[in-house]
Amino acid sequence: SIYEMFGNECCLSTGEVIKVIGFKINKLIASICENNEVSQFSTKVELPLNFPGLYKVVADKTPYVSIEEITRKVSIGPTRFGHPCFYSPEDMKLANLTIKRGEQITFNSVEEVNGTMAVNCGVVRNNQSHFFTLPLSQEGKFYECEDDQIYTLKEIAEWKIPKCRNRTVKLSNTLHMCDSSNPLPENFDGCLILTPVYEVQAVMKFRKDIVHILSDLDVEVKDITDSYDISSFIQPLSLEDVFERTSKEFPVVAEIMEGPSGSKKPSSLLYTGKYQATRVLASEIRSDSPKRHFLIPMSYKGKFKRRPREFPTAYDLEIARSEKEQLHVVATKAFDSLHKELFSVSVGDQFLVQQCQTSEVLYEGRRKLVDVLACEQILSNTYKKVLLPMYMEGGFVEVIHDKKQYQLSEICKEFRLPFNVKVSVRDLSIDEDVLVAVPGLQFEEEITDSYLLISSASSPVESWEVPVYRLNMSVHLLNKDIQTVVPPVTKTTVEEISEEQYYMVRRYENQTLHPPPRPPKKPT
C-alpha cells in the first residue's frame, strides 16, 4: 500500500527492509478523570504534544520490582528531567550505607561498574549528598516519589511516561487558548490519564529521508536484525551526534535528511567545527505578555543606553547596590513604618542607597535588632539620613544620570545583571537589527551554549552558527574529500527564541544554582 505520512509518500511493500532508528511519542490520548477516578465511560480526547498548559505529574502507585525494570521502562539521562526519584518501603543494606525505608533515592545515570551494569544513585541527608551504586539485579519494591515540579506536555511525553505504562497528570495553570479549540471541560481542574501513541522513525534502503510510521498502522513485520547487513543503510545523525565527534574529525560534509519545518534542504553542508559560545539572554520590557526573548552574541556591534530599573522592595535595592556608583531611586508607592525609629515613605520621595546594617527598634515593649537599609533622603537643598526596613514592600524606580553608550561586553563587565537598556546605535554589520524595534530590553543573565559551525560545501566563503540543542535536524555524513581551506568568516546573529525555549534555556542554565535568599518577613 502507499501511505501519505507527514507529507512524505512512503511505499511499504511486501519484502521491504526497514531499519528502525528510534521511536517517540507522537500524540497522547487523555482520559478525563473526574474526582480522581476513571471508568470505561470516561471521555477521551486527543492531545498534541504542543497542547498548552503546565502539568504536575502524579506519582505511580504501582511499584517496580527491580532496578533492571526501572532502567528498562523509565528515562534516565543527563538533564534534570532524567533524574527520577524512587523509595523503598523496606530498609536496604548496602556495603557502606543503609538506605532507610521511605528515603528518596535519585537515579542519576546507568553505567558498567566492575563488569556489572549498575545505576549511579544518591540520597541527601542533612544537606549532604551521599552517592552509591545499585546493581540492575537488585530486587525489591520501588515506588515513585512525589514530584513537585511542573512540566509541559512535551516534556512529560519525552521524559515522564514509562514504557508500557500510562501517566496521570494534573493541570497546574490555566490554559491560554480560545474555548472553542479546548477539548477539555470548562474550568477543568481534575486529572488526565495519558496514553501515548508512538511514532516509529525508520530509514529505507533507497530513500534519503527519515520515514515516520505511526505505531497503530496495520502492517506486519519480522525482525531480521541478526541476519542482515545493516551497514548498507544510511546512518542518520542528530546535531548532538555531530557535536559529540572529536574536534580532529572536523571538517565533515553532511547532507540534511530532515530539517526544521519549512526549511529548504541544501544538497550538502560543510561542518567546519564546534564550540561553546557565550550569549546574553534578554527579554523585552513590557507589563503585558507575551514578551519577546533574545539570545545576543558578544560580537554584537550595536550600542546601548541604560534604562531605569524597577525595584518592588527595599531588599531588591540592597541586591542591586554596587560599589561602582550610588543607586538613586524614586518611591512609587507609599509605606507606613511600624516603628518610629524607621522611616515612613511617601510617593515621590527620592533616596540615595547607602548600605545594609542592623538597627534597634522598640518591639512589643522590648528592644530588638532588625535588618535595615541605610539611605539618604534627597530634600530640596540638603540630605537626611533615614533607615528603611528591609522587609518593606514598596516600589522604587531608578533615576539614571549616566548618559554613556555601552557595548554589550562593557555592560557584562561593569554591571551586575539583570540590567535594563535600549539600543541607541544599531549594529551596522547586519542587514536587519531586530533589537532596534524593541522599546526596552532587560539583560537577564549570561549563558553558555553549544554551536556547530556550518558552511556551504560548494563555496565555503562564510560560516554561520547552528544551535545544537534548539534545532531539530537529522543529517548523514558524506564520504567526500575535503580540501583544507582557510576557516571561513563566522557570522553571528541575534537569535529570537520562543517562550518555551526561553524557559528551557533558563532552566538548564540555573539547575545547579541555589535560589536567592528570601527577603525578611514583615513582623506580625
Side-chain angles (χ1 to χ4, degrees), residues 211-261:
V211 177
H212 303 263
I213 307 169
L214 289 179
S215 58
D216 54 1
L217 192 64
D218 188 16
V219 176
E220 293 183 355
V221 294
K222 180 181 178 183
D223 184 0
I224 58 169
T225 308
D226 295 336
S227 58
Y228 197 85
D229 178 16
I230 60 172
S231 62
S232 59
F233 281 93
I234 285 173
Q235 177 61 45
L237 298 173
S238 66
L239 293 184
E240 291 96 319
D241 296 329
V242 178
F243 187 81
E244 286 170 4
R245 301 173 81 86
T246 63
S247 297
K248 292 180 181 177
E249 296 178 78
F250 289 92
V252 295
V253 179
E255 187 174 55
I256 297 178
M257 297 180 68
E258 189 172 73
S261 57

Side-chain angles (χ1 to χ4, degrees), residues 43-333:
T43 305
K44 289 182 171 59
V45 295
E46 185 177 297
L47 300 179
L49 298 188
N50 60 357
F51 188 74
L54 294 170
Y55 305 82
K56 290 195 77 168
V57 169
V58 178
D60 195 340
K61 293 190 171 98
T62 306
Y64 294 83
V65 297
S66 69
I67 300 298
E68 185 274 335
E69 185 189 7
I70 293 175
T71 60
R72 194 162 30 87
K73 293 183 177 179
V74 178
S75 297
I76 301 174
T79 74
R80 75 171 189 85
F81 297 122
H83 295 161
C85 297
F86 296 86
Y87 70 90
S88 169
E90 306 290 337
D91 287 356
M92 287 196 308
K93 290 185 173 17
L94 307 176
N96 303 316
L97 191 69
T98 297
I99 307 301
K100 299 172 185 174
R101 64 178 184 176
E103 192 167 20
Q104 180 172 298
I105 307 168
T106 302
F107 286 43
N108 295 315
S109 62
V110 182
E111 62 180 52
E112 190 173 322
V113 179
N114 300 325
T116 304
M117 294 305 293
V119 179
N120 291 314
C121 302
V123 295
V124 177
R125 294 175 180 169
N126 300 323
N127 295 324
Q128 292 286 323
S129 295
H130 303 270
F131 299 101
F132 55 94
T133 60
L134 289 175
L136 266 57
S137 57
Q138 178 88 34
E139 295 185 342
K141 287 186 177 179
F142 299 94
Y143 291 87
E144 268 190 340
C145 294
E146 293 292 338
D147 188 344
D148 60 355
Q149 298 294 315
I150 54 175
Y151 304 94
T152 64
L153 214 55
K154 186 171 183 286
E155 289 167 349
I156 290 171
E158 289 177 355
W159 291 98
K160 296 298 176 182
I161 300 185
K163 295 182 181 68
C164 307
R165 294 195 184 197
N166 298 329
R167 169 59 81 195
T168 303
V169 299
K170 184 172 178 60
L171 188 63
S172 178
N173 75 336
T174 54
L175 303 174
H176 298 290
M177 62 188 303
C178 61
D179 294 337
S180 60
S181 61
N182 185 0
L184 301 179
E186 188 177 355
N187 300 322
F188 176 73
D189 65 349
C191 291
L192 299 173
I193 298 179
L194 305 177
T195 304
V197 176
Y198 288 90
E199 168 194 296
V200 176
Q201 299 155 325
V203 289
M204 301 166 75
K205 200 156 188 180
F206 301 107
R207 293 178 66 99
K208 285 189 174 181
D209 52 356
I210 295 174
V211 177
H212 303 263
I213 307 169
L214 289 179
S215 58
D216 54 1
L217 192 64
D218 188 16
V219 176
E220 293 183 355
V221 294
K222 180 181 178 183
D223 184 0
I224 58 169
T225 308
D226 295 336
S227 58
Y228 197 85
D229 178 16
I230 60 172
S231 62
S232 59
F233 281 93
I234 285 173
Q235 177 61 45
L237 298 173
S238 66
L239 293 184
E240 291 96 319
D241 296 329
V242 178
F243 187 81
E244 286 170 4
R245 301 173 81 86
T246 63
S247 297
K248 292 180 181 177
E249 296 178 78
F250 289 92
V252 295
V253 179
E255 187 174 55
I256 297 178
M257 297 180 68
E258 189 172 73
S261 57
S263 64
K264 296 179 181 179
K265 294 185 181 179
S267 55
S268 58
L269 293 172
L270 175 67
Y271 287 76
T272 58
K274 63 175 187 174
Y275 67 91
Q276 302 272 3
T278 301
R279 294 287 188 270
V280 172
L281 180 62
S283 293
E284 182 180 16
I285 300 173
R286 57 186 299 173
S287 56
D288 56 339
S289 58
K291 298 179 181 179
R292 297 170 72 188
H293 306 285
F294 305 91
L295 288 175
I296 309 174
M298 285 298 181
S299 59
Y300 179 80
K301 294 182 175 60
K303 290 188 176 181
F304 301 93
K305 277 191 174 181
R306 296 174 62 172
R307 282 202 56 182
R309 292 172 286 178
E310 295 184 6
F311 307 100
T313 68
Y315 180 74
D316 293 294
L317 294 177
E318 164 60 17
I319 292 174
R321 186 175 62 84
S322 75
E323 301 298 329
K324 185 176 182 295
E325 63 175 357
Q326 200 162 36
L327 184 58
H328 178 189
V329 296
V330 177
T332 57
K333 185 178 176 182

